Amino acid sequence: MHFHRLSSVNTQREYFGESNLGNEPSMAMFLSTMKACSDVLERTEENDLVIDNMGIRAYVADLMGSIIEHDGMLSNYVWRLYEIVHIMYYLGVPLNSTFRKVILDNLCKCRTYGGYGGGPGLSFLGTSNYAAACILYFFGKSPSILLKREFIALMEHLLVEKDDWIAFRTELNGEYDMRTTYSIIMSAHLFGVMDMLEDTIDDFYSRLSRFIVLLQRHDGGFAPEIDCEAHAGYTYCAIALSGLLGRLGHPVTFNKKAAKRWIMRRQCSLCGGFNGRPQKLPDSCYSYWLGACVQIMDIPISVDYQKGFLLLITQQYKGFTDHPPNGIDPYHTFRSLSALQWYMRTDYRVDPVLGTTQYFAYKEETVE
């Protein structure tokens, strides 16, 4: 396979045409996109596959200044902090104690009863709390006894119990699905309170495993809720949560052969990228969600085409897009870099089960 270095909007205009630079994907655009991706990958040299390190650093600096200046306007404030921390880590930037203090001081603004909300002054949200738990784990910080007790007390109100399975809501009176359950359980693990949850809920591990198994569809993927369609993001949540339970001595029994087959079929043959469901456009974020499943389950895929899709098709100046012709954003930049660390076998990889790593050595420091 050959590779050719391409970049930004000029590349998109050359290969996708002015008429295809709209917002809504059509079948004609889908087919032309696939053909263009294939053509680009076939005539590119592999040693030209590079990450725009300096451009992305500048983009992250702009993000950092923006969220600090407008913290009261962001409901995804915690996720932005999470993305910034991990992007800097992936780029190999030394993270000193000053950077650590800035991030943790800003994270403290989002502290609320039970854990963390999406932004300053907002109430608890399970998915945002997971991002906060990852940040604390990354920096080697231990939650205080008060935070742990509040978290466990709140979990009793977020718990959804049926006869043979359990799940968790993301907020009081909110929805529950595979994603919200994954967020709560991973938070509990990173907070170090899994044993407290187990003591509070009857048959905790077996009923949680049952919920995961119920969400596997006939085609092998996992759905957000019972009787829904399988989706890549929720498939990751199910497989990663199963991986965590296996590490804790409670393996989950699901159809692994069917799951592997479903994941392998998500890799588009012409461009190498993953899509989230059948007949959908490939998206760079699924290179992370399904790439993590590949790492956890040791699934054979075309790694070269994954790298080519991310670095040649979705990478633009200063960041990554979901797919052409859309512009860059923090979320897809973060997920793309996350996936590339596995595909390029760098020293800056995260645990695919936890979604983070421990950069600073663990110390007996507590966060109230």
Side-chain angles (χ1 to χ4, degrees):
M1 180 171 62
H2 298 287
F3 290 102
H4 171 64
R5 186 77 176 101
L6 301 170
S7 63
S8 99
V9 176
N10 290 332
T11 296
Q12 295 171 20
R13 289 200 174 101
E14 178 184 351
Y15 286 94
F16 301 100
E18 294 283 354
S19 61
N20 284 331
L21 291 179
N23 293 321
E24 294 299 326
S26 63
M27 183 53 69
M29 178 182 174
F30 178 83
L31 293 175
S32 66
T33 300
M34 295 301 99
K35 179 63 167 62
C37 290
S38 178
D39 291 345
V40 169
L41 293 173
E42 286 298 335
R43 50 194 185 78
T44 305
E45 296 297 332
E46 187 170 4
N47 58 7
D48 288 330
L49 289 174
V50 295
I51 296 172
D52 181 14
N53 194 304
M54 297 308 297
I56 297 173
R57 288 193 192 194
Y59 181 51
V60 171
D62 292 341
L63 287 175
M64 193 69 182
S66 177
I67 66 169
I68 292 175
E69 182 179 355
H70 304 290
D71 59 4
M73 301 171 61
L74 290 175
S75 60
N76 59 350
Y77 188 87
V78 173
W79 277 106
R80 284 291 176 267
L81 293 175
Y82 170 83
E83 289 161 1
I84 287 171
V85 166
H86 287 81
I87 288 174
M88 297 293 275
Y89 168 70
Y90 295 142
L91 295 178
V93 179
L95 306 179
N96 56 31
S97 58
T98 301
F99 176 80
R100 179 190 191 212
K101 184 178 187 305
V102 169
I103 294 294
L104 292 177
D105 286 349
N106 281 278
L107 181 63
C108 286
K109 298 178 183 178
C110 306
R111 176 73 166 91
T112 187
Y113 178 80
Y116 294 85
L122 300 179
S123 58
F124 179 91
L125 190 67
T127 48
S128 297
N129 187 78
Y130 160 70
C134 286
I135 293 173
L136 296 179
Y137 181 83
F138 183 91
F139 287 119
K141 300 283 281 186
S142 173
S144 67
I145 296 298
L146 174 63
L147 175 53
K148 292 180 179 181
R149 287 176 177 172
E150 287 182 4
F151 179 79
I152 291 298
L154 185 59
M155 291 311 97
E156 296 182 21
H157 299 285
L158 300 181
L159 176 66
V160 178
E161 288 192 276
K162 301 296 182 181
D163 290 340
D164 60 347
W165 59 266
I166 58 171
F168 289 91
R169 303 183 190 276
T170 191
E171 59 185 335
L172 293 175
N173 301 316
E175 63 183 2
Y176 69 89
D177 57 24
M178 187 69 254
R179 172 182 58 96
T180 62
T181 303
Y182 166 86
S183 299
I184 295 299
I185 298 300
M186 286 295 171
S187 295
H189 176 69
L190 294 171
F191 279 172
V193 296
M194 284 291 281
D195 56 340
M196 298 171 69
L197 271 182
E198 183 182 7
D199 293 341
T200 304
I201 303 170
D202 294 335
D203 300 323
F204 173 70
Y205 286 110
S206 61
R207 295 166 75 193
L208 182 59
S209 297
R210 177 60 178 162
F211 179 67
I212 297 172
V213 173
L214 284 174
L215 296 186
Q216 188 171 27
R217 303 293 85 205
H218 67 282
D219 56 2
F222 289 81
E225 302 174 24
I226 296 173
D227 296 330
C228 288
E229 180 185 7
H231 184 278
Y234 298 94
T235 296
Y236 163 76
C237 291
I239 289 176
L241 187 52
S242 298
L244 176 64
L245 297 186
R247 291 179 183 181
L248 298 177
H250 302 274
V252 181
T253 303
F254 62 91
N255 190 335
K256 293 181 175 62
K257 182 177 180 180
K260 289 183 178 181
R261 182 173 61 245
W262 188 87
I263 292 166
M264 292 173 67
R265 287 177 174 175
R266 300 282 64 76
Q267 187 168 25
C268 301
S269 59
L270 287 178
C271 73
F274 284 117
N275 61 19
R277 289 177 290 162
Q279 306 302 317
K280 297 295 183 180
L281 283 171
D283 186 316
S284 60
C285 71
Y286 298 126
S287 293
Y288 172 81
W289 298 121
L290 294 180
C293 296
V294 167
Q295 303 299 311
I296 296 169
M297 301 183 71
D298 193 23
I299 303 172
I301 63 164
S302 176
V303 173
D304 285 341
Y305 270 79
Q306 268 292 311
K307 291 189 293 186
F309 172 72
L310 291 171
L311 290 170
L312 298 174
I313 306 302
T314 68
Q315 183 175 214
Q316 300 180 19
Y317 176 57
K318 287 190 173 184
F320 291 78
T321 179
D322 52 353
H323 51 70
N326 299 331
I328 67 172
D329 62 74
Y331 171 76
H332 287 95
T333 298
F334 160 62
R335 292 301 177 197
S336 297
L337 288 172
S338 301
L340 282 168
Q341 307 317 308
W342 294 321
Y343 301 140
M344 300 178 79
R345 309 298 295 177
T346 74
D347 294 331
Y348 301 100
R349 284 169 276 168
V350 298
D351 186 328
V353 169
L354 302 180
T356 188
T357 189
Q358 198 161 59
Y359 183 83
F360 283 80
Y362 177 79
K363 298 180 180 179
E364 285 297 332
E365 301 177 26
T366 61
V367 175
E368 295 296 327

